[in-house]
Amino acid sequence: MRRFLLAALVGTLVLSATAPAMARHAPASAKSAKATATEAQPAKQAPDLRVGLASGRASLTITPAGGKATVQTGSSKTITLAANTAAAIRWQDGAFLVGREKLRGEVLMIRPNAKAGELSLDGRRYRGALELRHKGGGLTAVNIVPVDDYLRSVVPEEMPVDWPAEAIKAQSVAARSFALASRGRHAGEGYDLCTTTHCQLYTGTAAEKSASNAAIKATRGEVLTYGGKPIEALFHTDSGGMTENSEDVWGSHVPYLRAAKDTPAKTMPWTKTISRADLERKLAAKGHDIGKVRSLALSPLAIGRAAKDRTASGRVKTMTVKGTKGTATLSGTTWRSLLGLKSTLFDAKLTKDAVTFTGYGSGHGLGISQWGAERMAAKGASYAEILHHYYTGTKLQQLY
């Protein structure tokens, strides 16, 4: 159902922190927010995104759906693909071979003839056009799609569509902001965004739902900006009671990713027990051969209270385990990844044969807490209020 930019993002996310700090701006309603979102001149057309669908493929199968499609390179004639008829495409002798037609050129473009037409790649349908290139010994397929059509697949993958409409609208704006801020993230591979949780989960038209489509339409063109630029609007499942400052997760200070309190606290409680032997093996496999575990050091958890080994939200900054051969002090994020914990908002207790972790929330803790957004919407908060609660000092602007 939902994916939340977890381990795949760690170490790869580049966050800008160049803009000056601003006070939190929270309009009373979505209507008032739209009325003041005039600083950016609206454009007539939504910008396109380039989404990488496949790479290194010997061949690809394309099927036009809802009408015919045209195929051409910059220097070739145009050929037509029949509706609902599969066409195998491969690279042969310096040219694209489309069925029996050979088209020379660096880039092959496939465009639906009908406005509502779709293209199926290996059985999965997408809106927009497809661009094929011969790269790295195989074919790379890129979906060129307007951002809001892209969101029609992304939003229902990230948030349940039976949640309150204002929460889904907030998710729509966050996902749009993240997508536009992340253009060029995979530039070295020839596209903007991938289809996995490293960026945002994108699976094509099969994921689309009427409730999320309505939320995307209601917020058309709206993005969160800071310093005049779209923000990397991160989100996670549940904060457990308080979100986190960016520098306490990935080391970079981002002015709009500040810790924000949620109510109620201690949501999504979880427990995980790991044997001492298993803990010792996992540490040794990562280069921390501490021998037999003898003790661990971690301050008691208090949500919203910092300590030398805890962040402002109470998440684990570092935890130390002592053994017969040495000591390992690892970051909370490292412990979470190593042991498969749901969050870094946890306590740890050492018993005779095991270590038991008890914690709250799920995800990295940055940006929107999705369950927090659901609770705020259920209490009557607008999507603008939700967004400004979680993204400090941002502005809601109409870009197109």
Side-chain angles (χ1 to χ4, degrees):
M1 183 171 60
R2 300 179 300 283
R3 310 298 192 275
F4 304 101
L5 305 172
L6 302 180
L9 273 174
V10 178
T12 61
L13 184 60
V14 179
L15 299 172
S16 171
T18 58
M22 299 170 63
R24 177 170 294 171
H25 172 64
S29 67
K31 183 177 180 180
S32 64
K34 278 195 172 186
T36 60
T38 58
E39 294 187 24
Q41 182 67 33
K44 293 182 179 180
Q45 201 167 10
D48 286 338
L49 296 173
R50 296 173 55 82
V51 186
L53 302 182
S55 62
R57 298 285 295 276
S59 66
L60 295 165
T61 300
I62 308 295
T63 307
K68 299 178 181 179
T70 58
V71 183
Q72 68 177 140
T73 66
S75 58
S76 75
K77 65 180 180 180
T78 299
I79 64 174
T80 300
L81 300 183
N84 304 313
T85 301
I89 301 176
R90 57 194 176 93
W91 182 261
Q92 181 177 294
D93 299 329
F96 294 97
L97 192 63
V98 183
R100 295 181 179 180
E101 296 278 355
K102 184 175 287 188
L103 303 180
R104 295 195 177 276
E106 297 296 322
V107 180
L108 185 74
M109 292 298 304
I110 308 170
R111 296 183 177 90
N113 285 359
K115 185 176 180 180
E118 300 171 8
L119 294 173
S120 171
L121 173 62
D122 294 341
R124 181 170 284 180
R125 290 187 178 187
Y126 300 94
R127 298 182 184 277
L130 291 177
E131 173 191 285
L132 305 188
R133 292 176 181 265
H134 184 253
K135 186 180 177 69
L139 293 177
T140 293
V142 177
N143 184 198
I144 301 174
V145 59
V147 61
D148 281 20
D149 283 346
Y150 163 81
L151 295 179
R152 291 168 74 165
S153 173
V154 168
V155 173
E157 293 282 7
E158 302 290 1
M159 179 173 279
V161 295
D162 59 353
W163 280 15
E166 294 301 300
I168 304 173
K169 290 178 187 177
Q171 181 69 55
S172 299
V173 175
R176 183 184 293 114
S177 302
F178 181 88
L180 293 176
S182 300
R183 282 181 292 184
R185 195 174 194 196
H186 288 271
E189 296 152 270
Y191 46 88
D192 294 321
L193 302 163
C194 67
T195 61
T196 74
T197 54
H198 176 259
C199 294
Q200 296 184 111
L201 197 63
Y202 178 63
T203 58
T205 60
E208 295 179 8
K209 298 291 187 294
S210 58
S212 47
N213 285 346
I216 294 161
K217 183 177 180 180
T219 62
R220 183 182 187 275
E222 291 187 309
V223 300
L224 287 169
T225 65
Y226 190 94
K229 297 180 180 180
I231 70 167
E232 292 184 280
L234 303 183
F235 47 92
H236 60 284
T237 310
D238 188 277
S239 74
M242 190 170 182
T243 66
E244 189 58 279
N245 293 320
S246 62
E247 62 269 23
D248 289 325
V249 179
W250 289 307
S252 299
H253 175 89
V254 182
Y256 52 79
L257 293 177
R258 302 292 87 201
K261 288 186 177 181
D262 276 332
T263 54
K266 297 185 176 181
T267 51
M268 289 192 70
W270 54 266
T271 300
K272 183 166 186 175
T273 299
I274 299 172
S275 70
R276 287 196 185 207
D278 194 18
L279 177 60
E280 291 157 4
R281 282 193 297 270
K282 288 179 180 292
L283 285 170
K286 292 296 183 179
H288 304 283
D289 186 3
I290 64 170
K292 301 295 183 183
V293 173
R294 290 290 178 254
S295 65
L296 60 83
L298 180 64
S299 300
L301 170 62
I303 295 174
R305 183 183 302 172
K308 65 179 181 179
D309 55 0
R310 290 189 180 273
T311 68
S313 69
R315 286 174 172 78
V316 175
K317 188 183 296 183
T318 60
M319 184 178 76
T320 300
V321 177
K322 293 183 179 180
T324 55
K325 294 182 181 179
T327 300
T329 299
L330 307 178
S331 70
T333 299
T334 301
W335 283 117
R336 180 182 170 220
S337 176
L338 181 67
L339 304 178
L341 306 178
K342 289 186 177 181
S343 74
T344 58
L345 194 65
F346 64 78
D347 268 324
K349 182 180 180 181
L350 182 65
T351 60
K352 181 179 179 180
D353 299 314
V355 181
T356 297
F357 297 88
T358 56
Y360 304 95
S362 179
H364 49 59
L366 294 177
I368 277 186
S369 163
Q370 292 176 307
W371 274 102
E374 189 275 344
R375 289 186 285 268
M376 288 183 68
K379 292 179 180 178
S382 70
Y383 72 93
E385 291 171 323
I386 294 168
L387 292 167
H388 289 295
H389 175 72
Y390 290 109
Y391 301 111
T392 303
T394 58
K395 292 183 179 181
L396 189 60
Q397 293 188 277
Q398 190 96 30
L399 294 189
Y400 56 89

